[in-house]
Amino acid sequence: MATLENIRKRGKLLAIIIGFALFAFILGDLIKNGRSLFSGPQNQVAEIDGESVDIKEYQGRINNLSEIYKIQMGKTSLDESTVKGIRTQIWQQMVQEFLLKETYEDLGIDVTAPELGELVKGTTMQPAAILKQMFSNRETGQYESAQAINFFQNMDKDPNTKLFGKYLESEIEKNRKFGKYKTLIAKGINVTDLEAKSTYSERNYLVDFEYVVKKYSLIPDSTVTVNDADIQKYYKENKNDFEQEYTRDIAYISFDVVPSDDDKKDAKKYVSKLIEEFKNTDKDNMSAFSSRNSDISLDNKHFKTGEISYPELDSFAFSALSDSGAVFGPYLEAETYKISKVI
């Protein structure tokens, strides 16, 4: 936990959990008709190799990695450029996982618990690269395995440390699997005797020769006669060389989808109906409540005065009247309706 505190450079913080957030762009007709916003085709954000990608899984990974970035950078929010980079990183990871999942299973590629332990200790094999970056002595460059082991042994004592530790374990496992796969590919590549002889000959067989070039442009056009039959013959023999793919010109108009005043009212009403249940949900069940009702996962980060981006919430959270269980909201922040609760 001490290592994580050094990464984040934070002191003791007041515990506040921002319970959940709902997009302001909730369509009124979906709510009025009683249709679930998280069911059916709406759950599918993309398709990879014929398999559906669930938007909750995709968004959940983005949220988790965003929290990791906040912990590392010591920030309570991320700029748009960083968020965009996180989305791209998560998408590339998911594509790789979907495409290689069956391959790993067919080849029997896996990472055992003892193997993960060795990647942390760095005794019988090289420590994981991501751990070498974090736990190497800055002056000597020597990997300090005791510090890494202590981090993982004590990560359950703090929610943010645990989140960061789980992320490291996942990255180590994924990188190890992919490393094994690349090694199998590299070991499977073989050069035949014929290829070796051909390469040797190409590099060692040398000749000296002389030549003269006479350009076609030096021949007067008047000395060459071309008739219709010649042109027809050339066309038939070479017409495939001049084939072109079909092309299209497309004109389109872009319309920004923005919520109407009724949409915003419906969204706020939807959030308001959940306040009482939110207020009565205990800490142990808060994560499940957030998963059922929010587009953003539970934020377990600890905050200190001035770190909460919404000023009114910051004042409320640290006021004398804000006892444990006090609820603030609904309030609109970044076009998202939210309610927050002090734990």
Side-chain angles (χ1 to χ4, degrees):
M1 184 164 60
T3 302
L4 185 58
E5 289 175 352
N6 290 334
I7 296 171
R8 289 167 38 188
K9 296 181 180 179
R10 64 176 180 86
K12 293 185 179 180
L13 309 175
L14 176 65
I16 175 174
I17 297 177
I18 297 181
F20 66 93
L22 294 171
F23 288 120
F25 302 151
I26 299 174
L27 298 178
D29 61 332
L30 294 178
I31 299 173
K32 292 174 184 176
N33 293 332
R35 292 169 55 190
S36 172
L37 297 178
F38 310 106
S39 63
Q42 295 177 7
N43 278 8
Q44 182 175 321
V45 68
E47 187 177 284
I48 302 175
D49 196 25
E51 291 192 47
S52 175
V53 180
D54 189 272
I55 190 170
K56 277 194 172 183
E57 180 184 358
Y58 175 62
Q59 188 61 49
R61 292 194 184 195
I62 291 175
N63 293 340
N64 285 338
L65 189 55
S66 297
E67 291 305 313
I68 298 299
Y69 270 66
K70 291 177 187 177
I71 292 171
Q72 288 182 298
M73 300 167 67
K75 295 183 178 181
T76 59
S77 60
L78 303 174
D79 57 63
E80 183 59 32
S81 176
T82 303
V83 174
K84 185 177 180 180
I86 290 173
R87 291 196 189 102
T88 302
Q89 182 178 343
I90 292 298
W91 176 249
Q92 290 174 345
Q93 287 179 354
M94 294 186 74
V95 169
Q96 179 175 307
E97 289 175 18
F98 272 71
L99 295 179
L100 293 178
K101 180 173 59 177
E102 291 186 4
T103 302
Y104 288 160
E105 293 175 356
D106 293 341
L107 296 175
I109 296 176
D110 200 2
V111 180
T112 63
E115 191 175 358
L116 283 174
E118 287 301 319
L119 289 170
V120 175
K121 296 175 184 177
T123 52
T124 60
M125 62 177 67
Q126 284 291 326
I130 191 171
L131 297 183
K132 287 188 69 174
Q133 293 177 357
M134 290 181 56
F135 299 107
S136 291
N137 188 296
R138 292 187 177 182
E139 295 181 358
T140 64
Q142 190 71 24
Y143 177 65
E144 298 180 346
S145 60
Q147 190 178 0
I149 294 170
N150 182 65
F151 172 83
F152 285 103
Q153 287 178 341
N154 295 281
M155 69 180 188
D156 290 341
K157 295 180 179 180
D158 177 76
N160 288 331
T161 307
K162 183 177 181 179
L163 177 66
F164 191 70
K166 292 295 183 183
Y167 166 75
L168 290 177
E169 289 177 351
S170 175
E171 288 299 302
I172 294 170
E173 183 177 357
K174 284 188 292 188
N175 291 337
R176 182 63 176 171
K177 281 185 177 181
F178 190 62
K180 289 182 177 182
Y181 177 68
K182 289 196 297 182
T183 301
L184 279 175
I185 297 298
K187 295 295 183 181
I189 297 175
N190 185 39
V191 179
T192 65
D193 292 341
L194 182 61
E195 289 173 324
K197 290 178 180 179
S198 176
T199 302
Y200 177 82
S201 299
E202 290 173 358
R203 292 179 179 179
N204 294 278
Y205 183 71
L206 304 175
V207 296
D208 292 327
F209 64 96
E210 296 179 352
Y211 65 94
V212 176
V213 175
K214 186 174 183 179
K215 298 180 179 179
Y216 282 110
S217 58
L218 299 177
I219 302 173
D221 293 342
S222 59
T223 63
V224 180
T225 303
V226 179
N227 54 37
D228 291 343
D230 294 328
I231 296 175
Q232 186 69 21
K233 180 183 178 183
Y234 181 84
Y235 170 74
K236 288 182 178 180
E237 292 176 350
N238 298 277
K239 63 180 180 181
N240 292 335
D241 296 338
F242 301 95
E243 287 185 352
Q244 297 185 20
E245 295 183 0
Y246 292 112
T247 59
R248 296 288 187 273
D249 290 328
I250 301 175
Y252 66 93
I253 301 175
S254 176
F255 294 95
D256 293 330
V257 180
V258 296
S260 65
D261 290 339
D262 288 339
D263 291 332
K264 293 181 179 180
K265 289 177 182 178
D266 287 337
K268 186 175 182 181
K269 183 179 179 182
Y270 182 84
V271 175
S272 299
K273 288 181 178 180
L274 295 169
I275 290 179
E276 194 62 31
E277 183 183 356
F278 180 52
K279 185 184 298 183
N280 295 324
T281 301
D282 57 34
K283 184 176 181 179
D284 294 336
N285 295 313
M286 192 62 69
S287 179
F289 178 84
S290 177
S291 297
R292 290 196 311 270
N293 298 288
S294 174
D295 292 330
I296 301 177
S297 61
L298 185 68
D299 186 351
N300 281 314
K301 189 177 185 301
H302 293 71
F303 295 88
K304 62 183 179 182
T305 306
E307 282 191 336
I308 299 175
S309 58
Y310 195 76
E312 289 81 358
L313 175 59
D314 189 79
S315 300
F316 172 82
F318 297 97
S319 68
L321 299 178
S322 179
D323 297 327
S324 180
V327 174
F328 179 84
Y331 59 98
L332 186 64
E333 181 183 19
E335 298 187 339
T336 300
Y337 276 109
K338 302 179 179 180
I339 57 177
S340 298
K341 179 178 178 180
V342 178
I343 300 294

